[in-house]
Amino acid sequence: MQMPTPIRAPTWVSRRRHFEQKLWDLDKCRDINQLKQMQAIVYKSNLQQDPFIAPKLITAFSLCRQMGSALKVFSQVPYPNVHLYNALIRAHIHNFNSSQAFATFVDMQCAGIFPDNFTFSFLLKGCSGKCWLSVVSMIHAHVVKWGFEDDIYVPNSLIDAYSKCGIVGVRTAGQLFRGMKERDVVSWNSMISALLKVGDLSEARKLFDEMPQRDRVSWNTMLDGYTKAGEMIVAFELFKKMPLRDVVSWSTMVSGYCKVGDLEMARMLFDKMPSKNLVSWTIMVSGYAEKGLVKEAIGLYMRMEEAGLKLDVAAIVSILAACAESGMLSLGKRVHDSVERSTYKFSTLVCNALIDMYAKCGCLHKAYNVFNGLKKRDLVSWNAMIHGLAMHGRGKKALELFFRMKQEGFVPDKVTLVGILCACNHTGLVDEGIIYFYSMEKDYGVIPEIEHYGCLIDLLGRGGYIKEAFDLARKMPLEPNIKIWGSLLGACRMHKAVELADDVLNLLVKLEPANAGKLSALSNIYAVAGDWNNVANIRLMMKSIGRPKQSGASLLALNDEYHEFTVMDKSHVKSDKIYHMIDGLSQHLKLLRPVPVGFCDE
DNA sequence: CTAGGGTTAG
């Protein structure tokens, strides 16, 4: 039997349906040209005030970064309703303009439009990533006032927003959570994640065990909590217990083992993963790179490329950060090559990572090339370049750049000032450093933090103002950390100040009793000064701690091969020649300049 | 017939 020919709808019907569908999905449109076409159709059909179409247009424009057009659409509706206001609030938040979102919220109330539960969810989303406890509390008050505290979405958003406001916020979130009439899995997960953010593993675990049902996010969140804390044994137990393990679970474990330095275990899990994605590969490659395992890192990176995976911004940035950390220039260059072949070479984020990587690897000219070629520099770009120059003794150049960035209208932040102090420090500009430090709050509104104090103390110590450095460390409003004592110790050694080193010893033992490395540095100071009694004391102390000092090693990369050196290392076959060379070099340096800092600034 | 929640891995 012959099948009847299907009746085809006339083309105009299908075209109309086509447009209807398009209008329906208007808010999902992410292509600006298509969007403009659609807008023309909307205007032609006189639908620009349609209560269903107008919000969609606003959303679409905001997603295409066209806030001007979005605002225009809004202004053409004579009496906007809640939906339209909500759409505009969300549009501002999509464009990272929370203050405009709040302004819209105020406008809306002035216009006599009541907010609804959506309004608050959107506003709270605008607080995420920020630490705005007072703002969140204010929204919370409005939520109570308008009676939305029992709408499950709103308190869930509140928990999330509070959880980003430090320990106080998390406590408030906890109160809110306990007071909720009903909680869903999102409420529990948000609360667990909040507790983990402030490092309260045990409380998080309590909730995790208590919650009525757990989904994969619950398990993965808890797993991540343990891996971030380096608790790999507990993490592994949880991992085994999980009813279902997805890519995230596996990747979390791989990442955790990488972080604790167990690359073998990490690789074993990586190989066993049922499925891998870009993130998993990135974790493993970065893990190798961060630990300086060149062959493994590059080998895996190449396999990743062969597997046809295309790096995204996050992958590039993580791998480059790992390269910067270990000084793995070879892999960093490969990543740069692949960046050059992609559109990411215009990305400020990616270029900043490249600048940092090259600077940390000592390739200042390459860092500078990237910096110069950058179309849109942001504060991070300047900071990375300034810091890079500063670290390598090019303090004058760093300061020059600092003046240029101010000229171009950038406002220095705390990171910039660390770079500036570092520049002064590594160039022997003691007076300048002191001046910058004591005027940074007045000039740039940056209140000195521990890093800034650390720079200044190091600067004073190196400059021979040991007494002043100690006084500052004792009098500063922050608790000195191990790095600060370490730098004071270095200063004592450099200037043979034995009596002050005694003070450091007492404090150091209190702060970090097991840090045998610092103890041995101290014993060296006594040794230099010929105080053999104290040398013996410290050796005894180190013995009682029972952890021999792990000697610090220097790494030198030559043609993708790493050479490791330790103090007095004689293991190299040509070590005699090497030491001969070093002796010659230091003789030469002594003749050049007696000061140990500031030797290579142009 | 509109829209919303958690971000859990790099």
Side-chain angles (χ1 to χ4, degrees), chain A residues 13-54:
Chain A
V13 172
S14 74
R15 190 165 298 160
R16 215 187 102 187
R17 300 197 102 184
H18 178 70
F19 284 134
E20 270 175 10
Q21 185 61 47
K22 281 260 182 154
L23 281 176
W24 192 250
D25 293 334
L26 192 55
D27 50 338
K28 292 174 194 81
C29 175
R30 303 196 122 239
D31 177 60
I32 180 65
N33 292 323
Q34 226 176 2
L35 180 56
K36 283 196 174 139
Q37 268 179 28
M38 292 302 295
Q39 192 191 22
I41 293 164
V42 167
Y43 276 69
K44 231 172 159 179
S45 330
N46 209 20
L47 286 169
Q48 66 272 32
Q49 291 184 19
D50 185 281
F52 298 122
I53 304 293

Side-chain angles (χ1 to χ4, degrees), chain A residues 503-524:
Chain A
D503 294 356
V504 185
L505 172 71
N506 296 327
L507 282 154
L508 218 55
V509 171
K510 235 186 356 200
L511 223 74
E512 207 171 308
N515 193 324
K518 287 280 152 41
L519 284 180
S520 91
L522 192 61
S523 94
N524 289 343

Side-chain angles (χ1 to χ4, degrees), chain A residues 288-474:
Chain A
Y288 280 136
E290 204 183 313
K291 292 287 174 300
L293 298 163
V294 192
K295 284 207 184 81
E296 289 85 349
I298 291 187
L300 205 67
Y301 178 76
M302 278 160 59
R303 272 188 50 200
M304 177 176 171
E305 282 190 326
E306 281 161 22
L309 283 134
K310 281 264 163 282
L311 299 182
D312 64 5
V313 175
I316 296 168
V317 171
S318 344
I319 298 177
L320 286 176
C323 294
E325 169 93 22
S326 66
M328 196 179 284
L329 184 59
S330 48
L331 180 56
K333 273 185 174 162
R334 276 173 201 265
V335 175
H336 190 184
D337 283 343
S338 113
V339 166
E340 282 298 321
R341 281 183 264 112
S342 73
T343 52
Y344 293 122
K345 66 175 162 189
F346 304 116
S347 154
T348 304
L349 216 69
V350 165
C351 289
N352 290 347
L354 278 170
I355 294 169
D356 188 51
M357 183 275 294
Y358 277 128
K360 293 236 168 82
C361 292
C363 295
L364 286 181
H365 53 288
K366 293 225 173 194
Y368 204 67
N369 277 345
V370 178
F371 179 79
N372 263 337
L374 200 44
K375 291 241 159 56
K376 268 188 67 149
R377 283 179 211 132
D378 63 6
L379 190 59
V380 179
S381 330
W382 289 94
N383 286 350
M385 198 61 233
I386 288 174
H387 207 98
L389 290 164
M391 265 190 318
H392 291 93
R394 309 282 294 265
K396 294 245 170 68
K397 197 102 191 136
L399 290 176
E400 259 173 56
L401 222 59
F402 178 59
F403 297 130
R404 237 178 80 200
M405 83 173 260
K406 285 194 289 185
Q407 252 169 20
E408 291 188 23
F410 286 91
V411 183
D413 69 349
K414 56 181 185 181
V415 183
T416 321
L417 279 143
V418 172
I420 291 310
L421 293 174
C422 181
C424 296
N425 189 6
H426 289 254
T427 320
L429 298 168
V430 181
D431 297 335
E432 286 87 339
I434 295 170
I435 291 169
Y436 277 120
F437 181 86
Y438 285 104
S439 60
M440 58 191 263
E441 195 174 341
K442 177 169 65 70
D443 291 350
Y444 308 110
V446 177
I447 298 161
E449 288 177 26
I450 192 89
E451 290 87 358
H452 303 104
Y453 279 101
C455 282
L456 187 68
I457 288 167
D458 202 49
L459 177 84
L460 290 169
R462 275 175 203 270
Y465 301 100
I466 301 203
K467 186 79 178 44
E468 286 78 359
F470 270 83
D471 285 347
L472 185 62
R474 264 192 286 261

Side-chain angles (χ1 to χ4, degrees), chain A residues 115-140:
Chain A
D116 65 4
N117 39 357
F118 286 82
T119 317
F120 293 111
S121 292
F122 294 155
L123 284 176
L124 287 165
K125 188 98 200 163
C127 303
S128 76
K130 318 270 182 6
C131 192
W132 287 350
L133 188 56
S134 54
V135 177
V136 179
S137 316
M138 261 159 56
I139 301 175
H140 190 173

